Amino acid sequence: MSEPPAAARELFGASLARAEVYARMLSGAGVERGLIGPGEAGRIWDRHLINSGLIVELLPEGLGGSEPGSLADIGSGAGLPGVVLAILRPDLRVTLIEPMARRTAFLAECVSELDLKNVEICRARAEDLADQVLADVVTSRAVARLDRLVQWSVGVCRPGGLILAIKGASAAAELEEAGPVLDRLGVTNASVVMAGQELAARGLIDQPTTVVRLAIATRE
């Protein structure tokens, strides 16, 4: 397991030790159980933890203020980005939504080992939790194309909430393709944004994280 790079030290700050434990779990048990590809073990920090953690800067100001804010992570898999955000923002209530038993078992081990008291694991499909879970922010990473993903995300996002979907080079094309679905669901202010541009400008990371940002309309 490689030492955390400078970007990780800056991003995680006082939570770095906890992030290091999680990185070891991902590169060990995560790879052994097929949750992380065998070729990914040497890229845990840059490709996974930092890539996931950079979206913390996109969380709304005031979230987790006088009352704990809530975040739901759809298709958590090995905990990316949900566990990373729970480490970075212990003031938020984080729900990890994942339907596969072997993945939820790994998530439970991570939550226990990292002593993440702000995390709840929900073994279910997001579409089956519509209006049962209503989070301030809904996140996802490499789950599905946006036209399907947004339908699942809206179901577990409160009116006036925010959806942050980590995407790659296809982000803009997916957003355009999903236009009719977004209109039907009352999604506003849809855009592709880059998280971590300041770290990229300083040469601490190769590239920012590409995120589709979607605001959910407040119901009348």
Side-chain angles (χ1 to χ4, degrees):
M1 183 65 213
S2 60
E3 289 293 314
R9 296 179 182 278
E10 187 157 328
L11 176 63
F12 287 97
S15 300
L16 181 64
R18 185 170 274 170
E20 287 185 276
V21 173
Y22 182 45
R24 286 195 292 271
M25 296 185 76
L26 286 175
S27 60
V31 172
E32 293 165 9
R33 300 184 196 178
L35 279 72
I36 298 291
E40 300 296 295
R43 301 189 291 177
I44 292 296
W45 283 108
D46 293 334
R47 188 175 177 85
H48 297 292
L49 272 72
I50 294 173
N51 176 262
S52 295
L54 288 175
I55 70 170
V56 74
E57 70 182 49
L58 301 179
L59 298 180
E61 290 186 20
L63 185 65
S66 58
E67 295 184 4
S70 57
L71 183 148
D73 186 44
I74 290 179
S76 287
L80 303 163
V83 168
V84 175
L85 294 173
I87 291 172
L88 286 168
R89 291 292 302 269
D91 58 316
L92 300 182
R93 294 180 287 107
V94 177
T95 301
L96 307 178
I97 301 172
E98 170 56 53
M100 294 187 64
R102 67 184 179 90
R103 293 176 179 172
T104 54
F106 177 76
L107 290 173
E109 292 172 22
C110 291
V111 169
S112 176
E113 183 69 23
L114 300 172
D115 193 27
L116 295 174
K117 301 186 186 303
N118 59 326
V119 174
E120 176 185 0
I121 300 168
C122 187
R123 185 185 168 196
R125 298 183 305 172
E127 55 265 44
D128 295 332
L129 296 175
D131 295 325
Q132 297 180 45
V133 173
L134 289 175
D136 297 314
V137 178
V138 178
T139 59
S140 59
R141 181 178 187 259
V143 174
R145 288 192 68 82
L146 192 63
D147 55 354
R148 284 187 294 150
L149 177 62
V150 71
Q151 296 182 69
W152 305 336
S153 301
V154 166
V156 295
C157 189
R158 69 165 177 79
L162 183 68
I163 295 172
L164 299 173
I166 297 177
K167 289 288 182 178
S170 66
E174 287 190 42
L175 183 56
E176 183 175 358
E177 179 184 288
V181 176
L182 302 183
D183 291 340
R184 176 169 57 83
L185 294 173
V187 175
T188 60
N189 300 320
S191 60
V192 176
V193 297
M194 309 302 288
Q197 293 189 84
E198 191 266 340
L199 290 180
R202 292 164 54 198
L204 295 182
I205 57 174
D206 290 335
Q207 58 186 15
T209 297
T210 303
V211 183
V212 175
R213 182 187 185 279
L214 309 166
I216 306 302
T218 301
R219 295 172 187 163
E220 294 295 334

